[in-house]
Amino acid sequence: MTEIKPHGSHWGSFEAVVDQGRLVEARPFARDPFPGTLLASMPEAVHGKARIDQPYVRAGWLKGERRGSSRGGDDFVPMGWDQVIRLVAEESARVRTEHGHASILGGSYGWSSAGRYHHARTQLHRFLGMGGGFTAQVTNYSYGAGMTLMPHILGTNEVIQGPVTDWASIRKHAKLMLCFGGLPLKNGLVTSGGAGGHEYVPLMKAAAAAGVRFVNISPFKGDVGDFLGAEWVPIRPNTDAAMMFAMAHVLIEAGREDADFLARCTVGYDRFRDYVLGLADGVAKTPAWAEAITEVPAATVRRLALEAAGSPTMCTATWSIQRAEHGEQPWWALVALAAMLGGIGKPGQGIAFGYGSMNGMGTPRQEVPSVAGPAVRNPCGAYIPVARVTELLERPGEILQYNGRDLLLPDIRLIWWAGGNPFHHHQDLGRLLRAWNRADTVVVQEPWWTAVARHADIVLPATTTLERNDIGSASRDRWVRAMHQAIPPQGLARNDVDILADLADAAGFRAQFTEQRDEGAWLRHLYGRWRQACAAQGVEVPDFERFWAEGFVEVPAPEQDYVQFAEFAADPAANPLNTPSGKVEIFSETISSFGYAETPGHPVWREPTEYLGSALAAQFPLHMLSFQPSTRLHGQLDSGPVAAADKIQGREPIRMNPADAAARGLVDGQVVRVFNARGAVAAGLRVTADIRPGVVAMATGAWWNPARPGATDAACIHGNANVLTSDVGTSRLGQGSAAQSCLVEIEAWPGEPPPVTVHAPPAGATAFA
């Protein structure tokens, strides 16, 4: 008997088509104007052999091999739920008693479930908080440096996360859109919390049809869809700030800066102006100066600056360009440039980060809240920036400087991960594993045999969203989606909530954790809170029973276009920003007071250690960019057919310019070895003229498959780009990921490449049936 159930995912709402207890199709939501292809991978992912069938414990851990022992190469021993719950409860109690609450890393980071109740991070942190606390992670890998910077400069992170000036306003009022990092179409496939409507591509097409001219300032032509007819400016990676300074220099020399806006709405422009003109350091940031760094012709820089001064212009940058050494600088410089153009707060103009980084950025939406899970409190108070997890594990008792604070790094004894995969998100995976092995115990809740599960001591099989009921909701989407359970739990998998409730029972706080609500009662409670919040803002939504029966709620589109900072620009005294001055801080006294030489009080050019202008390029002459894939979400769905169809001889593709391939005697479709001092990976070569010479690009998310399981120095035979990326912070200010600052060399793979094995269970585990 075939059943159809409403459901949702980060890559789109859908109808789950189920036959005899198995998902056979994920049919796109009928109201979605532009559904993606990722839904086609769901049946294989849910029922494939990469699923974890029951609880497992690492054989070495059972023998007493704890801190300092190798992980990833041992056999796993199957175990029943009662026994494994007892082991986890006893170990977590021991660690808290002997080493303190901060010695537990509540390392849940990632997208996990689109459902708001069964969201793994929320539930794990709530459980650990009730147990006494844990070391948490703040900011994110996506835009962590900018997330720390923007509250100092613009007083808000809405300029990154939304709401931002919507596409309707851009379509009506802008004539030019400067896109540093482009507007990648692939990123419009996903929205954290789910997408009822993929409106990103239709909205961009409407803007192009209305006459908005797009400029793609990126090493990759494909970072903007062909339908936009964009001008391509193939800049050197990591040099965007230099181009922005040169554009500012042009505006100053031509007298085209908006003096009124700068006087009314900013502070510190005079210091920035002196820096750009070279009065502060003796180096004028002219277009000729920038050309030597960026390889963008000086004439192009000059033309674009004057065109922006003469046209209503939206300035934007993707999240990716701040994921680099000194990644704060291009974003801060772009704010300064937008302020000089005077468009901040004007319809369709100004500044925003993230158009092209996520579906829903700029989508018209009434600003009602999204459905939210139960509250989380961490009484311990310990935290690190998320991208500094290796340093946390390596440097117990030392100080990490971050955003004006000195953070004392705890001695982590227990790593507990649920939702997400650090061996996807993090950089320099060999170094991460060496640090990871310092823990006494690693507990992982996970549906699949991903790298984080393979490098755990205790593996607890979790259900997928299809195996439970939930509510999908996103702050950038107008749809709230009922996620009906479609299939029974697979194997012995259990919901994260149920796993943690049993552990809370062992610790004596089950009633506090569950609040004596079952799944259905929690969903009614969370939806009811959301319904009340909507009513307070004049938006009426149906009751829970109607919502659950119909499968979705559509929040009406707003009647007026949204323009970010409009009230501030109109009257900055009456509507100040949440900055110390109440204005745009081109110079920040707060940041200056931190005393970080690499990040002074205004944006500056700082040369990265790894880029094509550095000395290291003589040894590793290719700049490797690692991007989010179109064939999966980060590492999710990597075992599915959509991702598999894009691979070359089973390896992740790497894009290379024809001239670079010819210089190395390489041909399209062959397996190559990509390497630097940190490691090596196998990749499938994809030769294309759409990427500039000297630059290669490889998607992240291929499951880490070391040639020797457990080895920290083995090549990844599947093509995980983060074996190669550098694990350094953007600066002491932001301490974000600097993955985009990465130099490599490429050669033919020597001999026959070994088979990819990572989508099958590890030694000792049973293949999922």
Side-chain angles (χ1 to χ4, degrees):
M1 176 180 174
T2 300
E3 296 181 280
I4 298 177
K5 303 280 189 177
H7 211 73
S9 68
H10 299 300
W11 42 90
S13 294
F14 63 95
E15 310 298 330
V17 183
V18 178
D19 184 30
Q20 298 183 17
R22 291 181 67 87
L23 178 70
V24 295
E25 182 186 1
R27 189 176 296 162
F29 181 41
R31 304 284 291 275
D32 191 340
F34 198 77
T37 61
L38 298 184
L39 292 173
S41 280
M42 293 198 68
E44 171 62 25
V46 170
H47 299 293
K49 60 185 178 181
R51 284 294 300 271
I52 303 170
D53 64 327
Q54 68 176 88
Y56 288 93
V57 180
R58 182 172 67 87
W61 189 88
L62 289 171
K63 296 173 185 176
E65 298 172 8
R66 308 294 172 87
R67 188 165 217 190
S69 63
S70 176
R71 294 181 172 93
D74 274 9
D75 285 4
F76 282 95
V77 178
M79 196 165 288
W81 271 110
D82 289 346
Q83 188 178 7
V84 81
I85 289 290
R86 179 180 59 80
L87 287 177
V88 175
E90 291 175 352
E91 178 63 1
S92 58
R94 179 194 72 82
V95 169
R96 287 191 189 279
T97 299
E98 295 180 6
H99 304 287
H101 300 302
S103 65
I104 298 178
L105 172 61
S108 179
Y109 176 86
W111 289 58
S112 62
S113 170
R116 299 299 86 185
Y117 171 58
H118 285 289
H119 188 250
R121 175 186 173 94
T122 300
Q123 294 293 355
L124 177 64
H125 284 184
R126 186 165 172 267
F127 165 79
L128 293 175
M130 288 180 179
F134 60 100
T135 293
Q137 296 164 298
V138 299
T139 72
N140 60 32
Y141 284 94
S142 295
Y143 47 82
M147 190 178 187
T148 304
L149 173 71
M150 283 302 144
H152 293 297
I153 308 309
L154 291 171
T156 179
N157 270 324
E158 287 186 355
V159 72
I160 310 169
Q161 299 166 322
V164 295
T165 298
D166 62 38
W167 280 100
S169 183
I170 294 171
R171 182 187 75 242
K172 296 172 186 175
H173 301 285
K175 295 301 180 183
L176 177 66
M177 194 163 184
L178 296 176
C179 307
F180 287 88
L183 296 167
L185 301 186
K186 58 186 173 54
N187 296 344
L189 297 173
V190 296
T191 305
S192 182
H198 289 94
E199 301 182 74
Y200 171 52
V201 170
L203 289 168
M204 279 199 300
K205 286 183 174 180
V212 178
R213 192 170 91 75
F214 295 86
V215 180
N216 174 27
I217 306 166
S218 168
F220 181 47
K221 184 180 181 182
D223 274 337
V224 165
D226 290 341
F227 60 82
L228 292 181
E231 176 185 354
W232 181 30
V233 179
I235 194 171
R236 262 184 175 178
N238 290 189
T239 66
D240 304 85
M243 180 172 171
M244 296 167 191
F245 293 137
M247 293 178 72
H249 192 281
V250 171
L251 297 180
I252 294 168
E253 280 206 323
R256 301 297 299 274
E257 69 271 46
D258 190 323
D260 174 68
F261 182 87
L262 291 168
R264 289 189 309 111
C265 298
T266 75
V267 294
Y269 171 68
D270 54 341
R271 297 201 197 189
F272 177 72
R273 182 179 185 276
D274 287 350
Y275 174 76
V276 169
L277 293 177
L279 302 178
D281 62 358
V283 179
K285 314 307 181 295
T286 65
W289 167 84
E291 180 175 355
I293 297 169
T294 65
E295 295 188 345
V296 175
T300 300
V301 174
R302 188 173 293 107
R303 173 176 56 81
L304 289 174
L306 294 175
E307 187 176 351
S311 305
T313 299
M314 172 59 76
C315 298
T316 187
T318 54
W319 295 342
S320 61
I321 70 165
Q322 56 82 69
R323 293 197 296 271
E325 292 180 80
H326 312 298
E328 297 85 358
Q329 301 308 323
W331 275 25
W332 198 350
L334 193 59
V335 171
L337 181 63
M340 293 176 70
L341 293 171
I344 295 175
K346 292 181 179 178
Q349 303 175 58
I351 181 75
F353 304 94
Y355 295 117
S357 294
M358 183 83 71
N359 181 59
M361 293 295 291
T363 299
R365 179 187 184 276
Q366 289 200 49
E367 283 309 306
V368 297
S370 57
V371 179
V376 175
R377 178 177 175 269
N378 180 15
C380 181
Y383 69 90
I384 58 160
V386 66
R388 303 274 54 81
V389 64
T390 297
E391 290 184 54
L392 168 69
L393 298 171
E394 288 176 337
R395 298 171 48 199
E398 297 184 28
I399 295 295
L400 176 73
Q401 292 186 300
Y402 165 63
N403 195 24
R405 300 174 178 88
D406 288 345
L407 305 180
L408 178 65
L409 299 177
D411 185 4
I412 298 299
R413 296 294 181 133
L414 172 60
I415 300 171
W416 199 323
W417 217 278
N421 177 5
F423 293 94
H424 157 69
H425 279 101
H426 204 69
Q427 287 66 60
D428 194 351
L429 296 186
R431 180 184 169 197
L432 172 61
L433 182 54
R434 289 189 290 274
W436 188 263
N437 287 339
R438 291 176 55 88
D440 292 1
T441 300
V442 178
V443 178
V444 168
Q445 298 165 215
E446 172 64 51
W448 292 279
W449 281 113
T450 59
V452 68
R454 291 168 184 268
H455 293 87
D457 298 311
I458 302 175
V459 181
L460 308 178
T463 53
T464 66
T465 65
L466 276 298
E467 297 151 54
R468 59 205 188 205
N469 295 297
D470 215 326
I471 299 171
S473 179
S475 61
R476 303 182 186 93
D477 189 67
R478 292 190 299 109
W479 305 85
V480 174
R481 185 68 164 166
M483 298 171 64
H484 289 203
Q485 181 177 342
I487 58 176
Q490 301 295 285
L492 296 181
R494 300 183 66 201
N495 296 340
D496 293 290
V497 175
D498 293 340
I499 295 169
L500 296 171
D502 280 356
L503 288 163
D505 188 62
F509 57 88
R510 184 186 190 100
Q512 181 185 1
F513 179 74
T514 64
E515 297 186 16
Q516 298 183 327
R517 294 187 181 97
D518 61 11
E519 180 185 71
W522 267 111
L523 296 183
R524 283 173 171 78
H525 172 67
L526 298 179
Y527 183 88
R529 289 197 316 183
W530 176 71
R531 189 179 184 220
Q532 289 178 349
C534 289
Q537 297 189 33
V539 177
E540 297 298 323
V541 298
D543 62 22
F544 181 83
E545 283 68 26
R546 179 180 166 191
F547 157 68
W548 197 252
E550 295 182 351
F552 64 86
V553 170
E554 180 183 6
V555 177
E559 296 180 0
Q560 295 183 334
D561 300 341
Y562 177 72
V563 179
Q564 194 170 35
F565 302 120
E567 293 82 4
F568 163 72
D571 190 343
N575 305 288
L577 301 180
N578 188 29
T579 59
S581 65
K583 299 182 178 183
V584 178
E585 302 220 343
I586 297 177
F587 184 95
S588 167
E589 294 286 357
T590 300
I591 293 176
S592 179
S593 72
F594 296 159
Y596 302 150
E598 72 276 21
T599 314
H602 61 74
V604 293
W605 165 246
R606 288 287 186 263
E607 183 173 305
T609 304
E610 294 193 39
Y611 87 118
L612 292 175
S614 66
L616 191 61
Q619 183 179 3
F620 300 110
L622 297 170
H623 194 126
M624 188 189 79
L625 300 175
S626 47
F627 59 90
Q628 298 307 321
S630 61
T631 60
R632 56 183 173 260
L633 171 56
H634 292 287
Q636 294 183 52
L637 305 178
D638 185 56
S639 59
V642 176
D646 186 58
K647 294 180 183 180
I648 297 172
Q649 298 187 47
R651 328 288 158 164
E652 194 63 30
I654 188 164
R655 295 170 176 148
M656 176 181 263
N657 184 272
D660 292 324
R664 291 162 176 79
L666 304 174
V667 297
D668 188 77
Q670 77 178 107
V671 176
V672 295
R673 178 175 178 263
V674 189
F675 64 97
N676 58 19
R678 289 178 287 272
V681 305
L685 187 62
R686 183 162 289 160
V687 179
T688 174
D690 285 349
I691 196 161
R692 57 156 286 161
V695 178
V696 294
M698 190 177 190
T700 61
W703 289 6
W704 188 32
N705 194 166
R708 302 188 312 280
T712 62
D713 59 351
C716 175
I717 58 179
H718 189 205
N720 187 310
N722 276 328
V723 170
L724 304 165
T725 51
S726 177
D727 185 9
V728 297
T730 51
S731 76
R732 287 174 288 178
L733 175 67
Q735 290 287 10
S737 164
Q740 303 293 13
S741 298
C742 178
L743 295 177
V744 301
E745 179 57 291
I746 298 181
E747 64 187 12
W749 185 270
E752 186 70 19
V756 174
T757 59
V758 72
H759 294 137
T766 305
F768 192 81

